[in-house]
Amino acid sequence: MSVLTVVALSLGFVLLIGGGEVLVRGAGGLAAVLGISPLVVGLTVVAFATSAPELAVSVDAALSGYPGLAVGNVVGSNIANILLILGLTAIVAPLVATSRIVRVDIPIMVLFSLVVLLVALDGTISFLDGLLLFAGLVTYTTATIVIARKQDGDRATEALDAPAGDSAGETTPTGGDTSHPVLLNSALVIAGVALLVIGARLLVTAASDLASAWGMSDLVIGLTVVAIGTSLPELATSLVAAIRGERDLAIGNIVGSNMFNIGAVLGMTSLITPIGVAPGAIRFDLPIMLAVSMALLPIAFTGMAIKRWEGLLFAGFYAAYVAYVVLQAADHDALDPFSAAMLWFVIPVTALWLIVLATYELGVRRGRGQARGRPVARDDGGREGG
């Protein structure tokens, strides 16, 4: 490992940490000023911003004639976002999942993952396929912002009008209080994104050089080294958000980023040039991405939170996934027993466990609902419900 590689790796990590801190501060400030929840900001502004490295890498890879890197980058990043990023973040600070993200956003993320698998079955993500993916993202983003503005309109109006209604003791003028915070927090978001992109670029360049020297294919590099490298902005942002208590923003960042990766990164890249999808990605990696997305739903549903032990489970599965990809690329003798253990024991047991947990949670919720309903039904009819 050369000195330049060490410097690039070290500087990249520093820029990522600093960029995550600045971006979370700016995004949290925008949410407060505009009266929009941190979850919506995480699903849109922060998610799209932290996915900028994936977009840049995939477009550049497709134009340079490396479609395997473009597809592997997105698929690997989405798998890493859920298993590695959410896993590590939940280990640091358990994440609270809101009802909206369980009922709406995670199912839509699963739908995006299913659609990209279906359009890739013919071995190519074409111009029309990309148009479909991109249109879906635009529709989702527009609906999310419109609904959020409608629901939070009263709160936003109160926040913006508060200085004008206060007493003369307020020190700031009415006109400057609304625009200045927006400009300042927008500048923080832009600066944070810039730091994240530069830091991720340094890390990806150094790691890709090392992986190429070790003889890894472009698909494997995309699924592992580049995917992890371009997911580092999400990791830095989610960790900082969780530590600062912005846990809605942390989980919204990951879910929104996965949808952006499919709708914008793959969608826009295929609008520029058709993307060829390797048979191995269709048989294994894309289904794994769909399965991981589906697994997040019962995890978030149980207790409406992603707990530490669930974060450990996710991180462990990501380590197993990377081990499989590396063993397969090396055609190692341990691949067959490793695959058999994962396919016939670990995955079925985990799936059964998730089903049992989700069923138990449904039973608990149904029991609570019935318990609340019985006293009202038996008491005097004139009593108000409570």
Side-chain angles (χ1 to χ4, degrees):
M1 185 182 294
S2 67
V3 176
L4 287 178
T5 302
V6 174
V7 171
L9 289 172
S10 303
L11 183 58
F13 277 116
V14 171
L15 291 177
L16 281 172
I17 295 171
E21 174 69 21
V22 173
L23 178 57
V24 169
R25 285 181 179 273
L30 279 178
V33 172
L34 298 178
I36 299 177
S37 70
L39 173 61
V40 174
V41 174
L43 286 166
T44 54
V45 177
V46 177
F48 297 175
T50 55
S51 289
E54 282 93 337
L55 179 59
V57 170
S58 293
V59 171
D60 181 67
L63 293 175
S64 301
Y66 297 99
L69 185 60
V71 174
N73 175 34
V74 168
V75 175
S77 290
N78 280 16
I79 295 172
N81 281 347
I82 295 176
L83 295 183
L84 180 63
I85 311 304
L86 271 184
L88 293 178
T89 305
I91 292 171
V92 172
L95 302 175
V96 177
T98 64
S99 176
R100 178 238 157 87
I101 206 164
V102 173
R103 290 184 296 103
V104 178
D105 302 301
I106 295 178
I108 292 177
M109 180 187 68
V110 172
L111 179 61
F112 268 87
S113 301
L114 176 62
V115 170
V116 75
L117 173 60
L118 294 176
V119 301
L121 288 176
D122 61 356
T124 304
I125 301 178
S126 65
F127 179 89
L128 291 178
D129 296 334
L131 192 61
L132 173 65
L133 295 173
F134 186 67
L137 179 69
V138 171
T139 302
Y140 165 78
T141 305
T142 303
T144 297
I145 295 175
V146 169
I147 293 172
R149 298 279 301 203
K150 183 178 180 180
Q151 292 177 342
D152 300 332
D154 293 340
R155 185 176 63 182
T157 301
E158 291 175 4
L160 293 174
D161 291 345
D166 285 346
S167 62
E170 287 290 333
T171 58
T172 48
T174 304
D177 266 8
T178 59
S179 60
H180 179 68
V182 171
L183 293 176
L184 176 61
N185 288 303
S186 298
L188 288 176
V189 169
I190 294 171
V193 171
L195 292 174
L196 289 172
V197 171
I198 295 171
R201 184 65 178 174
L202 288 172
L203 283 171
V204 169
T205 300
S208 297
D209 289 343
L210 289 174
S212 298
W214 294 337
M216 298 171 66
S217 69
D218 62 332
L219 177 60
V220 174
I221 293 173
L223 287 168
T224 55
V225 177
V226 178
I228 295 174
T230 54
S231 291
L232 287 174
E234 284 89 345
L235 175 60
T237 303
S238 293
L239 284 175
V240 170
I243 293 171
R244 289 173 56 84
E246 300 280 359
R247 299 183 184 183
D248 279 359
L249 193 151
I251 191 170
N253 171 35
I254 297 303
V255 174
S257 179
N258 276 19
M259 287 187 276
F260 183 86
N261 284 345
I262 295 172
V265 178
L266 279 183
M268 292 179 65
T269 302
S270 60
L271 293 178
I272 298 171
T273 179
I275 303 174
V277 184
I282 298 173
R283 290 193 306 266
F284 181 75
D285 301 297
L286 283 167
I288 288 294
M289 181 184 73
L290 175 60
V292 167
S293 300
M294 294 175 65
L296 179 59
L297 189 56
I299 287 289
F301 177 67
T302 51
M304 301 301 286
I306 303 176
K307 306 177 184 68
R308 281 193 171 91
W309 70 264
E310 292 168 332
L312 285 169
L313 178 68
F314 272 8
F317 265 110
Y318 187 73
Y321 169 75
V322 172
Y324 177 86
V325 171
V326 173
L327 289 174
Q328 185 183 49
D331 196 19
H332 198 277
D333 293 339
L335 178 63
D336 289 339
F338 182 85
S339 301
M342 293 297 297
L343 181 62
W344 299 109
F345 179 72
V346 177
I347 293 177
V349 169
T350 304
L352 179 61
W353 191 7
L354 293 177
I355 292 172
V356 170
L357 285 176
T359 303
Y360 173 77
E361 183 75 16
L362 284 172
V364 169
R365 289 172 180 271
R366 188 178 295 112
R368 288 173 180 170
Q370 292 174 350
R372 284 195 298 267
R374 285 192 191 108
V376 175
R378 292 174 181 173
D379 284 350
D380 183 68
R383 176 185 169 187
E384 292 184 2

